[in-house]
Amino acid sequence: MTADTEARRRAQVLIFDADDTLWENNVVFERVIDDFLAWIDHPTMDRAQIRAILDDIERANAVAHGYGSKVFLRSLGECLERLRERPATDAERQEIDRLALALVEHRVELMPGVAEALDALAQRHDLLLLTKGDREEQQRKLDACGLLHHFGAAHIVAEKNVDTYRWLVREHGFEPARAWMIGNSPKSDILPARAAGLNAVFIPNENTWVLEDDELDPTDTGVLRLAAFRDLLAHF
């Protein structure tokens, strides 16, 4: 065990992202997008071109309306209208609703090793949960996940930026230097936490939403990179 790992074994504040860190989420959206692209079948644009348009629409809607399945459905409808150059018909809107039915019916499926790792980590560290998105939708996932008893508090926020992490520090009164934000998103979990003075653990997920991607500094010693959630047990 290294000196750094030994130091991390002592009580820390571990802050966990939820979607695509504790459980799978974006993979369900990606399946809906695949079905949507197949259904559109545009005469002159290929799937990559249509996806680029959808990404632009989602990016704008995330700023204006936030996150979650309702905003996602709005983006699909706007993408259809832009491609068709006319308002969507009732039949087309019903088809979009049908395609996205999996989002409503999707059950919370924990990542491998999450429940066991949290059982152990909660015995020696202070755990918090920080997730962004539609409050009602995120709360449903939190209630269904069976993990809330591990966390001293669970916060649902509209956005995870530097101000959010500074607020979290003030709210709970911990020292940023002894806290770690753990997540899969460079944009929401790693970079703003580091800018607020926290450490971070990056656990990549191949299904992470493309709009959550960003460049990480490979020389930043305040970011620990792990391959899987269960690997936290070897470091904390």
Side-chain angles (χ1 to χ4, degrees):
M1 184 181 297
T2 67
D4 285 345
T5 301
E6 181 61 35
R8 290 195 293 269
R9 287 285 191 181
R10 296 191 288 272
Q12 308 278 305
V13 178
L14 305 184
I15 308 157
F16 291 86
D17 169 50
D19 291 340
D20 296 316
T21 297
L22 299 182
W23 53 72
E24 291 282 9
N25 180 67
N26 196 59
V27 64
V28 185
F29 286 82
E30 289 297 329
R31 291 170 188 156
V32 174
I33 290 174
D34 282 343
D35 291 343
F36 176 78
L37 295 177
W39 172 60
I40 286 293
D41 190 27
H42 197 274
T44 60
M45 291 186 183
D46 60 25
R47 291 170 68 98
Q49 290 172 311
I50 298 172
R51 179 61 190 264
I53 291 172
L54 178 59
D55 287 345
D56 286 342
I57 292 171
E58 285 198 280
R59 188 177 292 108
N61 279 337
V63 173
H65 305 290
Y67 304 91
S69 59
K70 294 177 184 175
V71 179
F72 176 66
L73 287 174
R74 180 191 188 111
S75 296
L76 292 182
E78 290 181 8
C79 183
L80 172 71
E81 291 180 344
R82 185 176 300 183
L83 293 170
R84 297 286 194 251
E85 298 183 337
R86 59 164 173 76
T89 65
D90 288 343
E92 288 169 335
R93 292 196 176 279
Q94 289 172 7
E95 179 61 17
I96 289 175
D97 288 342
R98 188 194 66 76
L99 290 173
L101 190 61
L103 298 174
V104 179
E105 296 180 338
H106 177 59
R107 296 181 179 179
V108 173
E109 299 177 11
L110 299 184
M111 295 288 194
V114 163
E116 298 81 2
L118 289 180
D119 281 340
L121 293 170
Q123 314 233 354
R124 52 182 182 257
H125 301 288
D126 297 322
L127 309 189
L128 299 173
L129 190 147
L130 182 68
T131 182
K132 72 176 183 180
D134 177 81
R135 179 165 295 277
E136 181 179 343
E137 190 170 331
Q138 293 305 99
Q139 189 62 57
R140 178 189 62 79
K141 297 177 192 175
L142 296 182
D143 292 341
C145 72
L147 301 173
L148 284 182
H149 62 285
H150 292 305
F151 301 99
H155 298 287
I156 301 171
V157 296
E159 189 59 85
K160 288 158 75 173
N161 51 32
V162 177
D163 287 341
T164 302
Y165 289 99
R166 289 173 178 161
W167 167 82
L168 194 68
V169 170
R170 294 193 304 271
E171 179 73 10
H172 292 280
F174 58 79
E175 297 177 12
R178 61 179 285 269
W180 297 76
M181 179 62 203
I182 299 163
N184 67 294
S185 167
K187 176 179 176 288
S188 295
D189 300 325
I190 310 303
L191 294 176
R194 292 295 293 135
L198 286 72
N199 303 291
V201 180
F202 178 46
I203 307 177
N205 183 322
E206 64 181 5
N207 295 309
T208 295
W209 190 22
V210 63
L211 300 189
E212 289 295 325
D213 196 17
D214 209 334
E215 291 294 324
L216 297 180
D217 181 358
T219 67
D220 185 356
T221 57
V223 177
L224 178 64
R225 299 166 185 256
L226 300 180
F229 194 93
R230 60 170 61 93
D231 294 340
L232 288 165
L233 294 175
H235 297 271
F236 292 95

